[in-house]
Amino acid sequence: MADLVAVLATTHHPFFYRASTAPPESRPDFADEWVRKVEAYRETLTRARPDVLVMVGSDHFHQLFYDNMPQFLIGKAPYYDGNYYNEEREFGLPRMRLKGHEELSAYLLRAGLDAGFDFAFSNELRVDHSITCPIITTRPRADLPIVPIYTNIFAPPLPRPWRFVQLGRTLRQLVEAWPSAERVAIIGTGHLSLELGGPRQFGPHGPDPEFDRKAVEWIANGDIEAALREVTLDSLWTPGNATHGFMDFMLMMGVAGPIKADYADSLDLFHTMEAYFTWYPKGAAA
Amino acid sequence: MVSEGSGRMSKYLVNKFLYSIDRDPALVERYRADPRGTVTWWEAERANVILNLPEMERSTWQAFTEAEREALATHDYVKLFELGAHHFLTLTLYIALFERDYAEPLGFQREYARQLQRWSLPYPDITT
């Protein structure tokens, strides 16, 4: 059976690429610390020596729209082009091409259906910054095949938080039952408190530092039950109108299980808090 | 019969407009330079084109309400927020339209937040 060698849950900040590659004269003052934290986090993935990356993210109305909106979707394609004109325009993100892992995609689709998750699928998916940002931060060589999994955290009606946790638990079971000798890492990105297109956007820090403090504690301690007790689709509006992206963190808590993260770090940036977590299901040395 | 712009479905159409303009560099510039003309053209020619279908398989019933049409034609992002347009779509397109007019980084984004200050929770419903 395949080895699940690392589980990573992090924020995806589209400004990191530009901040970290800017020439010295236009480099923002927070860039150095940010780069240090990201490089330390990258090492937590490198150390696990994965062969394939299952990437959980959420399309930001790029390919998926209200005319045909899936709740959970798995890509099954030999390649995924990445990033869009409007991400190039707003964030300076580069065009990318990532290799797919069709065998693992096909397995997860079939086994997922049999386990009660009626995934939508796509044979031609262009991934956006929810997938490419964690590649840029945790695997900038972009040399490993991926399986992208998209969740709907944007277009109501959304699945409820418990469903994201359940999907995470199921993904872990499926990956661990995959008849393969490959080493799999599951990397998911979401948000802590975040406001976009509302009155609390782009403040000096995230819109709800108290939520962020609690959320970081839930994730770092693997306290899924506390998160499920406090977080509902309605409650997520309170920390910020884009905070439903926190459900991707809850999905990753489902993958990791109710245990403390082996690595936890965060960084208070303007308008949102960055957070970095890694678990080693087989132990750090495996 | 469905009356013009009835109920919730035109919220979908506002989102479709924001989405369609935002993904096309030429339309972004056209909408910046001539918002009313762009909205009029788009509603007449594009509103009924289903995104993943050939043009001949179009819908027959899409139309903005008067308030939606006016908000889009006047670049009124505060009104769009009030009408329940998706906040992410509005923000992304309007950054493309107006960020260039502000000298400070995030200057437009902060002005946008100031313009929305009178809103507190619950925000207008974005459900389509």
Side-chain angles (χ1 to χ4, degrees), chain B residues 77-91:
Chain B
Y77 56 85
V78 177
K79 188 69 180 177
L80 291 172
F81 183 84
E82 181 186 322
L83 293 171
H86 196 287
H87 43 85
F88 183 83
L89 290 167
T90 312
L91 175 67

Side-chain angles (χ1 to χ4, degrees), chain B residues 24-92:
Chain B
D24 182 328
L27 288 181
V28 169
E29 293 312 310
R30 181 171 171 182
Y31 182 49
R32 174 180 159 94
D34 177 16
R36 190 171 297 277
T38 307
V39 171
T40 303
W41 162 79
W42 191 87
E43 188 173 10
E45 302 293 329
R46 306 303 301 172
N48 279 293
V49 176
I50 299 175
L51 290 164
N52 196 32
L53 288 182
E55 292 203 14
M56 64 182 175
E57 312 292 3
R58 55 179 59 206
S59 297
T60 56
W61 50 274
Q62 297 282 7
F64 293 126
T65 64
E66 187 48 43
E68 290 163 348
R69 191 178 298 120
E70 194 57 23
L72 291 170
T74 55
H75 285 159
D76 188 348
Y77 56 85
V78 177
K79 188 69 180 177
L80 291 172
F81 183 84
E82 181 186 322
L83 293 171
H86 196 287
H87 43 85
F88 183 83
L89 290 167
T90 312
L91 175 67
T92 303

Side-chain angles (χ1 to χ4, degrees), chain A residues 102-169:
Chain A
E102 286 197 273
E103 183 197 331
L104 180 53
S105 290
Y107 165 78
L108 288 174
L109 279 167
R110 180 69 262 164
L113 286 162
D114 296 342
F117 276 94
D118 299 343
F119 290 112
F121 65 94
S122 171
N123 292 144
E124 189 177 15
L125 188 67
R126 186 176 186 96
V127 295
D128 79 357
H129 73 267
S130 68
I131 304 289
T132 60
C133 284
I135 292 291
I136 288 166
T137 53
T138 68
R139 194 76 182 187
R141 279 181 288 157
D143 57 336
L144 298 177
I146 69 164
V147 173
I149 301 182
Y150 270 155
T151 67
N152 175 19
I153 51 107
F154 258 134
L158 309 179
R160 294 192 190 279
W162 64 265
R163 188 67 172 157
F164 282 74
V165 171
Q166 196 178 47
L167 174 54
R169 289 174 177 151

